[in-house]
Amino acid sequence: MYRTLDCGWSDDPKVRSLPRDGKLLFIYLISNRLSHVSGIYYLPDALVQHALGLPARALDTLWDTLSEAELVLRDTAREIVFVQSMMKIQGRGEKNFRAAAYHLATLHKSPLIKDFLGEYPDVMAFLPSGF
């Protein structure tokens, strides 16, 4: 799989203010094999720890750092992450909105879906009836 990235992702003041490992985690979140164009997807901590070589405690601290910077929200019970700017980084348009709407049904009613739709209300037009 290939991922298109806006080259300006690192120009965001929120990203620039992150420590080195925070930047590493952020770029991993927008480019790993489980990521979705929508930015909301299943991602277990064990996979992140293994991929980035981070101990659990360091990863917990980085999650807090990215959350405080308003870059990432997490549903730890369902192991769902929401990279809040990812859909903007990946691109917009009907194709991406349709993909996101379809993908939301796979997230086991995560409370992050409400946050996602608040950030990207255009996706609501593509949700299946009864969602």
Side-chain angles (χ1 to χ4, degrees):
M1 167 177 35
Y2 293 91
R3 183 76 60 216
T4 301
L5 298 175
D6 176 347
C7 293
W9 70 267
S10 62
D11 295 335
D12 182 335
K14 293 177 183 179
V15 174
R16 281 197 326 255
S17 70
L18 295 173
R20 183 193 65 211
D21 283 347
K23 290 174 182 151
L24 175 66
L25 177 56
F26 184 75
I27 194 67
Y28 177 77
L29 293 174
I30 60 177
S31 65
N32 74 78
R33 66 181 174 84
L34 293 179
S35 67
H36 189 269
V37 67
S38 62
I40 184 171
Y41 60 94
Y42 172 76
L43 184 66
D45 277 0
L47 183 67
V48 180
Q49 290 171 11
H50 178 73
L52 300 181
L54 294 170
R57 187 174 181 147
L59 181 58
D60 286 343
T61 299
L62 290 173
W63 283 129
D64 290 343
T65 300
L66 268 63
S67 178
E68 289 168 11
E70 299 178 344
L71 291 166
V72 174
L73 296 173
R74 294 181 61 228
D75 174 356
T76 55
R78 293 171 186 83
E79 298 182 296
I80 306 288
V81 63
F82 173 30
V83 183
Q84 295 167 267
S85 63
M86 188 156 165
M87 193 165 224
K88 293 172 190 158
I89 293 168
Q90 292 296 310
R92 298 177 70 101
E94 184 176 332
K95 182 178 176 182
N96 288 335
F97 294 155
R98 284 188 188 283
Y102 177 79
H103 180 66
L104 292 179
T106 70
L107 301 177
H108 307 287
K109 300 187 188 227
S110 170
L112 294 180
I113 293 171
K114 182 178 177 182
D115 296 306
F116 174 83
L117 292 172
E119 185 78 24
Y120 300 104
D122 293 340
V123 172
M124 286 190 266
F126 300 96
L127 291 172
S129 60
F131 183 82

